[in-house]
Amino acid sequence: MLKINNLHAKIQDGAEILKGINLQINPGEVHAIMGPNGAGKSTLASVVAGKEDYEVTEGEILFQGNEISEDAPEERAHRGIFLSFQYPVEIPGVTVTNFIKAAINENRKAKGLENMPAKEMLALVKEKSEQLNIKRDFLARSLNEGFSGGEKKRNEIFQMMMLDPKLAILDETDSGLDIDALRIVADGVNSFRNEGNAVLLITHYQRLLDYIQPDFVHVLADGKIIKTGDKSLALELEDKGYDWLLN
Ligand SMILES: Nc1ncnc2c1ncn2[C@@H]1O[C@H](COP(=O)(O)OP(=O)(O)OP(=O)(O)O)[C@@H](O)[C@H]1O
Ligand SMILES: [Mg+2]
């Protein structure tokens, strides 16, 4: 589904952050990326999603066989790439529900489909919000405005479940969640997972991986993947930290 070959990327007019990333994610897989602060994890997520602050200087990003490094962020979204941000933006005046409706209909339009019928949309909103324990008054609030940290994260998972992407990239969706919210978010991701999609989880905590079982765990440090393993690698990191890998 996603194949990244020797990816190098830099900040526009700035330093190189990604220094030769290789990563292959197949349908049905969940990959976790861990690594020290400033390693380039969020940058990797942004570069895959097409954020314009970064420039690919070498290598390629293949999504379902297509080279996408030159595509606009919205084209990538239409192809089925979803990124939840470490720090979601606030959009005053646009409600949670209207934002997601617009996003779904934009995706449909790009595929030559009509808007989703209102009734179907309503049913979908109801199903997914109930699954995530999101209250009705929350859906009528302005997007992310005054949301608590946990509410922002839960809303991101709501967006993911509504949009039903092929590849969901979740950047520290677990940080700031209380234990109940963590479980709800993890259940959301687990119910989203299927043989046809894939998830890339960026996290600092092995705790999340108790709830969402990854197929692979990668350590990203100084712009490179320096180690790949299975779930046990996350446990080892929790125990030993990163120092033993960095020498
Ligand atoms: N737009 C930008 N402008 C300037 N520096 C940037 C920019 N984006 C990333 N960087 C720098 O690139 C490095 C990697 O940042 P990134 O956010 O990818 O790290 P991270 O691995 O996600 O860290 P954390 O675990 O703290 O979230 C950092 O030194 C950061 O300051
Ligand atoms: Mg980050």
Side-chain angles (χ1 to χ4, degrees), residues 14 40 46-47 64 99 114 128 183-184 189 203 207 210 212 235:
S46 295
V47 168
Q64 297 187 308
F99 180 81
E114 298 282 305
K128 303 300 183 193
R183 197 159 293 163
I184 290 166
V189 173
T203 184
R207 187 184 60 167
D210 281 337
I212 306 171
L235 287 166

Side-chain angles (χ1 to χ4, degrees), residues 42 86 171-172:
S42 296
Q86 190 171 2
D171 192 357
E172 295 196 24

Side-chain angles (χ1 to χ4, degrees), residues 58-126:
E58 212 182 316
E60 54 183 7
I61 308 172
L62 301 170
F63 184 67
Q64 297 187 308
N66 300 296
E67 162 60 76
I68 58 163
S69 359
E70 297 297 318
D71 290 359
E74 54 278 11
E75 284 174 71
R76 304 187 202 200
H78 295 151
R79 287 186 188 276
I81 298 177
F82 173 89
L83 170 62
S84 96
F85 291 102
Q86 190 171 2
Y87 305 104
V89 291
E90 297 186 3
I91 312 187
V94 177
T95 67
V96 170
T97 309
N98 283 337
F99 180 81
I100 195 64
K101 276 186 191 167
I104 286 177
N105 284 330
E106 272 305 309
N107 265 350
R108 290 174 67 101
K109 199 164 135 194
K111 295 193 182 85
L113 298 170
E114 298 282 305
N115 281 354
M116 184 181 279
K119 227 174 129 180
E120 200 181 313
M121 183 76 78
L122 205 68
L124 194 62
V125 168
K126 190 167 183 296

